[in-house]
Amino acid sequence: MLVLLWQYVKVIDPQQVRAALMKVGVGFGWVILSTSLAYALGTWGWWYCLGDSRTSIPKIDLFMIRHVCETVGLFNPASFAGGDMLKIVLLRPYSVSQPTVVTSVIISRILMILSQICLLILAVLWFYFHGKLPIRASLPNVSILLIAIICVSLGLIIYRILVFDFHSKKYPKLARAKARLVQVWSELNHFYRSHPKEVALAFIFFTLHWVVGSLEFYIVLKLFGYDVTVLDGLLLDMGVIAVKAAGAFVPGQIGVEELGNKIMLALVGISSIPLWLSVSALRRTRQLFWIVIGAIFYSFFIYKKRLYS
């Protein structure tokens, strides 16, 4: 993690960061405030995914654990999968059963992805019907076909594993994978049927998490004097996240996020190179701030709690 973090830090240009911070001044505090609220909403969504066991974990502890693990996911080549595995580890000291923890982590990730996809689709449709986003130019047919092929292929692989009867001696690994998938699917189905209200509330909080998080783009562009709307910020943020997902295996999404910023700013009619560099520098500065906070959470709270438990 330290090696990957160093690779991340050394590509950030201090002069660009300093220049961007001088332009926005104390307005950078609004960026931190919006992300703080977004992280809190994301924590609340995960809290509801714990079902009846959620009262066993204080929300502040869950906030710290989630933030540390999301930070790990940022630099782990396995992306959010590595961070989600760490969530399971860090929740062990609490009086919550392992199946409940695993189910909460999986269903929270599914709801986060679904809410993000819904928001992205709504934002694209809104801009398209208002004539602000030419779909043919921004989403080439080849890209759409490639995404569809990947999704269908993954679905067929999972379906094949679930329905095919693997011989445990001949295919031990596939047999174990099938047993695990069946168990997880059963737990997810049980949670959905027994806690429909919690699932709905979690989806709402995850949706709010993305909406509030997208205010970062809105605030930054406003601070630089651009006339944008909250919906502009939502489309920009959802688009950048989609680009980052394609390069999730790159630690810290070095270069990938900057490319996403450039593409999405161009889509809303902003092609200024200095602005793109400034926006990218500010977003990296925000990430560095929360990386430091995550290190503090782990060092002074979570690690000590694990030792004492």
Side-chain angles (χ1 to χ4, degrees), residues 269-291:
I270 302 175
S271 56
S272 170
I273 298 299
L275 176 69
W276 164 51
L277 294 175
S278 298
V279 169
S280 298
L282 280 178
R283 286 170 64 85
R284 289 299 187 188
T285 306
R286 181 262 301 166
Q287 287 180 348
L288 283 175
F289 173 85
W290 284 111
I291 288 168

Side-chain angles (χ1 to χ4, degrees), residues 88-121:
I88 298 172
V89 174
L90 295 182
L91 283 176
R92 284 177 182 170
Y94 299 88
S95 56
V96 183
S97 65
Q98 189 79 351
T100 299
V101 171
V102 174
T103 301
S104 74
V105 170
I106 295 175
I107 200 168
S108 64
R109 183 59 60 182
I110 291 173
L111 291 175
M112 282 193 71
I113 293 173
L114 288 177
S115 59
Q116 178 190 351
I117 292 173
C118 290
L119 283 173
L120 178 59
I121 292 173

